[in-house]
Amino acid sequence: MAEKRARRAVEDAKEQKASEALRRKAGKDMNKIKEELKLKQAQQEAEQKKRDKIEDAKAKAAIKAQIEADKKARNERIAREKAIRDGLPIPGESSASTPPTVAPSQAPTSSGVAGKDYSETRLQIRMSTGGQPYTTTLSSDASLREVAEFLAAQVLTIDVETVSLAQHFPRWVYITLTLSAIGLYAS
């Protein structure tokens, strides 16, 4: 019996060593699995950060493009309004049906000097179709028909009877007035 107990004690010791080795191996495997899991999570987080960074860059680029488009549209609108104010052809538009524009070379000053004090008026005429402006000096008492006759002499395709003279800002179409009556003074 003592022999059986001794064998059994030896076997129990062997079993304990084997189970201890299995427990240690299982612990090492568990640690290894935990480390691999942490590594995979870190890689996934890094990939997600890259994707987020790319998406942010795309969003910023889209916003910048929108800002540039807005700036361009605003500048075009300002240029168009300025052209209308100054009586110049509108940039980006080529309409042959709009009348030529008569632009005064100098607006009346705030000193109260009337057009009747000037004997001559210098005109710069811009066609709505574009091109170089036509410049002439006429008497302040000259009618708009004389301006139309000058224009017809310069451009052979224009008929004196069909010419209409207009100012873009403020919008005004002139019919039968004298240059001094509409406020076009000498420069």
Side-chain angles (χ1 to χ4, degrees):
M1 217 148 146
E3 216 175 279
K4 273 187 173 178
R5 280 188 206 158
R7 260 192 279 156
R8 186 164 201 148
V10 171
E11 285 179 17
D12 284 341
K14 283 183 184 179
E15 284 180 18
Q16 270 185 339
K17 282 184 181 180
S19 65
E20 182 67 21
L22 284 175
R23 189 183 64 78
R24 284 184 184 177
K25 186 177 180 187
K28 287 180 183 179
D29 289 344
M30 201 59 136
N31 285 339
K32 188 176 182 182
I33 291 171
K34 284 181 183 178
E35 287 177 14
E36 288 176 0
L37 185 61
K38 285 182 183 179
L39 184 62
K40 284 182 182 178
Q41 287 176 345
Q43 287 175 347
Q44 288 175 349
E45 288 174 6
E47 289 174 5
Q48 184 63 37
K49 283 183 182 179
K50 283 181 184 179
R51 283 192 296 268
D52 291 344
K53 190 174 180 180
I54 291 171
E55 288 175 9
D56 287 345
K58 286 181 182 178
K60 284 181 183 179
I63 290 170
K64 284 183 180 181
Q66 183 64 39
I67 289 171
E68 290 300 318
D70 291 346
K71 280 183 184 177
K72 184 178 178 184
R74 186 179 67 235
N75 288 340
E76 288 175 356
R77 180 179 47 85
I78 289 170
R80 185 173 43 256
E81 290 173 359
K82 184 177 182 203
I84 290 171
R85 255 194 329 269
D86 295 343
L88 299 171
I90 298 172
E93 266 185 31
S94 59
S95 172
S97 62
T98 56
T101 310
V102 176
S105 59
Q106 181 178 355
T109 60
S110 60
S111 64
V113 177
K116 62 186 175 189
D117 296 336
Y118 296 103
S119 61
E120 291 184 335
T121 300
R122 182 174 174 267
L123 295 176
Q124 187 177 42
I125 303 167
R126 292 187 175 101
M127 302 295 287
S128 62
T129 57
Q132 291 291 328
Y134 300 98
T135 306
T136 186
T137 303
L138 297 172
S139 169
S140 293
D141 298 337
S143 68
L144 292 177
R145 178 160 181 87
E146 290 179 46
V147 175
E149 288 172 355
F150 165 77
L151 195 57
Q154 297 297 316
V155 182
L156 299 177
T157 59
I158 294 178
D159 182 21
V160 176
E161 301 301 322
T162 61
V163 170
S164 67
L165 301 170
Q167 177 177 314
H168 284 287
F169 187 81
R171 182 73 179 148
W172 194 264
V173 177
Y174 302 106
I175 303 170
T176 56
L177 299 172
T178 64
L179 296 176
S180 59
I182 60 175
L184 298 176
Y185 306 121
S187 56

